Amino acid sequence: MKTTEAMEAAAGERVEVRGIAHGGEGVGRAAGEGADTRTWLVEGALPGEQVLAVRSEERRRMIRGRTLQVLTASPDRAAPPCPVEGVCGGCGLQHARAAAQAELKRQIAEGALRRLGIAVPHALASPRALGYRRRARLHVERVGEALRLGLHRRQSHEVLDLAHCPVFDAPLNHALARLHALAGAGGAFAQVLRSLRRGELHLLSDGAAVVVGIPGLAPREGDAGEAGLRAALGEALDNVVVGVVARGGRRELVVGRGRLALADAGPEDMAIPTGPFEFAQAQAAQNRALVERVVALADARGGQVLELFAGGGNFTRALAREAAEVVAVEDDRGSAAALLRLAKKAGAGRQAKVEVRRLDATRALLRYAAEGRGFDRVVLDPPRAGLGLQGARALAQVARGRTVFVACDPATLARDLEPLLEAGHRASAALAIDMMPMTPEVEVIVALDAPRDRS
């Protein structure tokens, strides 16, 4: 054993792991007489295990640490499928069997909602554990004259140079390998990457093709260097990488195709044209399941739906086939434009009337609450930061029937649900969905019903 490892092992403490935390760490306590009684959060540990752990952070009631050695392994432990596991910061649950990850995420969701009295009885497992991911954010870092292109290292902003990722789908991995090769070739595309302030590349796949987004790059209108930039970006194009979108402020420069039609939430004629800077769920198959369950829980047949954080229409187009009217609220300019295109298609197809409001969700709710306007059905899917307490309190007034709340962060979901429960809304269903295998990320759906005197 190396000297450093021997020293760590000597400093290690036995921890019995009983549960799993929001970030995927094992939750437990130190074993043995006279052991520290604070709760441990141990990276790389699973429920039911006893591990030797070393401390990395201490607080008044909690100790963070990482696993040095597994003393008693869980039957759900597995060998990580990725050669850079533990080095790359992209995935944090590779040490668990793929078949067990959905149950672990159910436990994560239920743990966050337990104090509210909400049980999460089921979790929907992913049909694929690898090769599923259709969107990614790559990072570029200049090191001397060389460029690194890949993902961030674990707990760092340093870039880990990568040309392949096991969770990416085949087109996304093709694009990663191609961009990685161009970054190392020293050509015009590499020079563009060297010029970036925020070295980021946004990739989106539709299962066959990829578009790439590069923020902070587009030239000013009439700039003499535009032709050269177009030529440089064009180096990335091939039969799979079909478009590059450079964005700077309100200006976009598109080389090739700027959008892909994501058709996993409905028929092709209602496919969502999505660009690399717009939100799309990481996995197509699980997104279909998510949409189906949200629409079923909303049960909006013939009614009016308020949809908050509507994005480019992931739920909107499915709701439009059920409801009489959908009021879609979205603040992002590009997504609101996509919603307007969808509204025209819905009208032409004699589906629901889709009214698009380009507005912040909290401002919309406060306005509706001040007007005394209510909705029998509300669907919302906020970003990781959640809705927020002010918006949640207004939602409790505006929601007059069924609310379907979708969240990718169980902690902020619990925070946002509390004002609704205090106002008399009651949770009637909850489900966890494993959208991103090999990571501790989980999508949670909670359906709530308004008090009877308000429904």
Side-chain angles (χ1 to χ4, degrees):
M1 183 179 290
K2 294 179 181 179
T3 303
T4 302
E5 292 175 344
M7 291 174 63
E8 286 184 336
E13 299 172 66
R14 289 177 180 263
V15 178
E16 292 181 348
V17 181
R18 302 300 184 196
I20 186 166
H22 179 206
E25 301 100 332
V27 181
R29 291 189 184 276
E33 186 176 349
D36 197 314
T37 59
R38 286 177 287 180
T39 297
W40 275 78
L41 297 181
V42 187
E43 184 182 348
L46 295 173
E49 293 187 330
Q50 187 178 95
V51 301
L52 190 67
V54 65
R55 302 183 183 203
S56 56
E57 178 187 353
E58 293 188 49
R59 296 185 183 179
R60 190 165 64 91
R61 296 183 179 179
M62 179 267 289
I63 302 168
R64 286 189 182 274
R66 57 184 177 85
T67 300
L68 292 176
Q69 183 182 351
V70 179
L71 303 174
T72 304
S74 163
D76 291 330
R77 180 164 286 276
C82 179
V84 294
E85 188 272 340
V87 179
C88 178
C91 297
L93 208 57
Q94 293 192 42
H95 54 287
R97 287 190 307 114
Q101 291 184 22
E103 168 57 20
L104 291 171
K105 295 182 186 189
R106 185 199 69 77
Q107 294 175 28
I108 290 172
E110 189 165 76
L113 300 177
R114 186 177 292 118
R115 67 180 179 81
L116 302 179
I118 299 176
V120 183
H122 304 293
L124 184 65
S126 172
R128 300 184 68 180
L130 300 173
Y132 67 85
R133 191 176 179 102
R134 66 176 177 183
R135 65 176 176 85
R137 181 177 296 185
L138 304 180
H139 301 278
V140 181
E141 181 179 39
R142 186 171 177 174
V143 183
E145 292 303 310
L147 287 173
R148 290 178 184 160
L149 187 148
L151 302 173
H152 281 148
R153 289 179 175 269
R154 183 172 63 91
Q155 298 178 351
S156 170
H157 287 99
E158 183 181 338
V159 174
L160 177 64
D161 211 38
L162 290 173
H164 182 269
C165 177
V167 298
F168 285 8
D169 72 6
L172 217 58
N173 262 321
H174 173 97
L176 171 58
R178 180 166 181 78
L179 296 172
H180 186 271
L182 288 171
F189 187 83
Q191 294 306 313
V192 168
L193 297 184
R194 289 175 186 277
S195 71
L196 296 176
R197 285 186 178 180
R198 283 189 318 158
E200 287 185 358
L201 300 175
H202 298 238
L203 275 60
L204 177 68
S205 162
D206 66 0
V210 173
V211 290
V212 178
I214 308 179
L217 185 61
R220 296 176 182 174
E221 194 162 358
D223 194 322
E226 181 172 325
L229 179 57
R230 283 184 178 276
L233 298 180
E235 288 184 2
L237 303 184
D238 63 6
N239 61 331
V240 174
V241 181
V242 297
V244 180
V245 182
R247 173 182 284 185
R250 291 179 172 271
R251 171 107 166 113
E252 283 192 349
L253 176 66
V254 180
V255 179
R257 290 165 58 185
R259 292 176 174 271
L260 298 175
L262 304 184
D264 47 275
E268 181 64 29
D269 63 348
M270 289 288 281
I272 303 170
T274 304
F277 299 110
E278 294 162 25
F279 177 77
Q281 289 287 357
Q283 182 183 167
Q286 287 293 75
N287 186 53
R288 291 189 197 97
L290 173 68
V291 172
E292 288 170 3
R293 281 156 178 77
V294 166
V295 173
L297 285 168
D299 190 20
R301 287 169 292 184
Q304 186 186 54
V305 180
L306 172 64
E307 185 188 4
L308 304 166
F309 306 98
N314 191 40
F315 297 124
T316 316
R317 59 181 178 159
L319 291 167
R321 296 195 293 273
E322 300 278 336
E325 182 180 1
V326 179
V327 179
V329 177
E330 173 55 49
D331 195 30
D332 179 74
R333 176 168 50 93
S335 296
L339 284 170
L340 289 170
R341 291 191 293 269
L342 189 151
K344 290 181 180 179
K345 286 187 177 182
R350 296 182 180 180
Q351 298 186 44
K353 175 187 175 184
V354 177
E355 177 185 342
V356 179
R357 295 286 184 91
R358 189 182 167 200
L359 194 63
D360 171 77
T362 294
R363 288 181 60 193
L365 286 167
L366 290 172
R367 180 179 299 178
Y368 292 142
E371 294 171 352
R373 184 176 179 183
F375 293 84
D376 289 333
R377 296 291 183 267
V378 180
V379 172
L380 67 160
D381 184 8
R384 185 169 299 279
L387 175 60
L389 290 177
Q390 186 181 32
R393 293 186 186 108
L395 174 60
Q397 300 176 55
V398 170
R400 304 289 174 83
R402 169 65 61 87
T403 298
V404 182
F405 205 129
V406 182
C408 63
D409 188 309
T412 58
L413 172 63
R415 178 203 66 197
D416 291 344
L417 289 178
E418 195 162 6
L420 283 92
L421 297 175
E422 290 174 350
H425 295 251
R426 290 292 176 263
S428 56
L431 173 71
I433 297 181
D434 187 2
M435 185 72 69
M436 296 174 62
M438 300 296 156
T439 80
E441 304 297 329
V442 57
E443 291 285 326
V444 188
I445 308 172
V446 176
L448 304 105
D449 293 315
R452 290 187 177 181
D453 60 348
R454 296 185 54 205
S455 59

